[in-house]
Amino acid sequence: MKITKIEKKKRLYLLEIDKKESLYVTEDTIVKYILTKEMILDKDQLEDIKSFAQFSHGKNLALYFISFKQRTEKEVKDYLFKHEINPHIIPKIIDNLKKDHWIDDYKLLESLAQQNLNSGDKGAYVLKQKWLQKGCNKQIIDDVLSQFDFSEIAIKVASKLLRKYQGKLPSKALKDKLTQSLINKGFSFQESKLAIDHLELEADEENEQALLYKEIDKQYQKFSKKYDGYELKQRLTQALARKGYDFDAIASALREYL
């Protein structure tokens, strides 16, 4: 077999073999095999060239993809597969990139975790789920997260949530709201509890009473159309308790209201 044509395209070279077969190769392939027009190749040499050309092209694609930002191993694999790189060659490309530290999931996750501590608002559980979805190894994730203390960021997030809800909810409902919001952001129950304890919440009795009477007005409008007497009182009590108001405060307020 003979190379009958070598023509440079945009980022690749077109090789024509015996004026019949054609393939695209990278410049690295040209250099590695010192390919020239009229060069004679045997079958094994041609297969080696094809294999290396795929490897070289795949690696160049991966480096281009990584150049925009750090990527996980899974993201790079998916990118190469999407660009129709031979699936049998992809592991070799990944190993090469890992060897040269272009891909390092551990360091990438360390960096992301630190960024979250500096300016984010997520707990370990949410980060773990997000990284698992990206295809990161569970053991690597656990090892990275075990290095970080999320208590300070939990306090920061709790303080922000407090500014949002304070004065709008009774103390019990406020604590429940803060706890659930922190858990939803990925903090453990213990981290959430400690963060809320750190806030040293104090009940504003005057505000809570105002909130209670406002809620009674709202619930009364709802239930008084269907119920009266004892049944109305029970419905109101249950509805107010679900909103986080204290039973003694509810009973006292309803005695005045009804």
Side-chain angles (χ1 to χ4, degrees):
M1 292 178 285
K2 183 168 66 175
I3 298 176
T4 51
K5 182 179 182 180
I6 299 179
E7 183 179 340
K8 191 177 189 316
K9 298 296 183 179
K10 287 183 179 180
R11 289 193 296 267
L12 298 171
Y13 286 80
L14 173 65
L15 253 65
E16 188 178 79
I17 310 297
D18 292 336
K19 296 184 179 181
K20 297 177 183 178
E21 183 179 357
S22 60
L23 64 144
Y24 286 94
V25 301
T26 60
E27 187 170 344
D28 288 342
T29 310
I30 299 287
V31 173
K32 178 178 173 65
Y33 292 95
I34 318 176
L35 300 177
T36 59
K37 189 177 178 182
E38 305 298 324
M39 183 176 180
I40 303 299
L41 303 171
D42 61 30
K43 184 178 179 181
D44 289 339
Q45 285 176 315
L46 182 58
E47 288 304 312
D48 284 345
I49 289 169
K50 287 180 179 180
S51 178
F52 183 80
Q54 268 278 297
F55 168 81
S56 179
H57 179 48
K59 183 177 178 180
N60 288 343
L61 281 173
L63 289 172
Y64 173 77
F65 184 52
I66 293 168
S67 69
F68 294 99
K69 68 174 187 177
Q70 287 179 287
R71 310 283 185 175
T72 66
E73 179 178 333
K74 176 69 162 48
E75 286 175 321
V76 176
K77 283 180 179 177
D78 290 346
Y79 183 79
L80 293 175
F81 186 79
K82 177 183 175 182
H83 284 77
E84 300 181 343
I85 298 300
N86 188 326
H88 298 295
I89 293 176
I90 290 176
K92 184 179 177 182
I93 296 170
I94 296 297
D95 287 344
N96 185 271
L97 292 170
K98 288 168 73 173
K99 180 182 176 183
D100 292 338
H101 305 293
W102 288 106
I103 295 175
D104 189 331
D105 281 4
Y106 191 95
K107 285 190 176 180
L108 172 57
L109 297 188
E110 262 191 333
S111 175
L112 293 174
Q114 189 60 57
Q115 287 175 26
N116 181 71
L117 288 187
N118 294 341
S119 58
D121 64 352
K122 301 295 187 293
Y125 181 77
V126 164
L127 292 180
K128 182 174 182 176
Q129 294 307 306
K130 182 178 179 181
W131 295 343
L132 284 171
Q133 289 171 7
K134 283 181 172 287
C136 297
N137 179 275
K138 181 179 179 298
Q139 188 59 56
I140 291 177
I141 294 172
D142 289 339
D143 288 347
V144 169
L145 291 176
S146 67
Q147 299 180 58
F148 294 89
D149 180 359
F150 287 84
S151 58
E152 287 299 319
I153 188 174
I155 292 171
K156 182 178 73 173
V157 173
S159 298
K160 184 177 179 180
L161 290 167
L162 178 61
R163 291 193 294 273
K164 179 179 180 181
Y165 295 113
Q166 194 168 35
K168 299 177 182 178
L169 297 169
S171 55
K172 181 180 180 301
L174 177 60
K175 282 188 177 182
D176 290 344
K177 184 70 174 179
L178 294 177
T179 300
Q180 191 57 53
S181 296
L182 288 167
I183 289 173
N184 289 344
K185 284 184 173 291
F187 299 99
S188 69
F189 178 79
Q190 185 64 20
E191 287 170 338
S192 302
K193 183 178 182 303
L194 290 173
I196 293 169
D197 289 345
H198 183 84
L199 299 177
E200 297 181 351
L201 299 176
E202 293 183 4
D204 182 340
E205 293 184 7
E206 186 176 334
N207 180 63
E208 288 212 13
Q209 189 173 40
L211 288 172
L212 174 57
Y213 275 93
K214 183 178 179 180
E215 190 63 35
I216 290 175
D217 284 338
K218 180 180 175 182
Q219 297 299 329
Y220 183 83
Q221 291 295 323
K222 177 181 177 181
F223 290 114
S224 62
K225 296 173 183 178
K226 294 183 179 180
Y227 308 102
D228 58 17
Y230 176 78
E231 183 65 21
L232 174 60
K233 184 178 180 181
Q234 286 298 101
R235 296 280 178 171
L236 290 172
T237 300
Q238 292 168 5
L240 293 166
R242 285 195 297 271
K243 294 287 184 178
Y245 293 98
D246 179 75
F247 274 104
D248 289 340
I250 294 171
S252 176
L254 289 180
R255 278 196 296 270
E256 294 182 17
Y257 194 90
L258 296 176

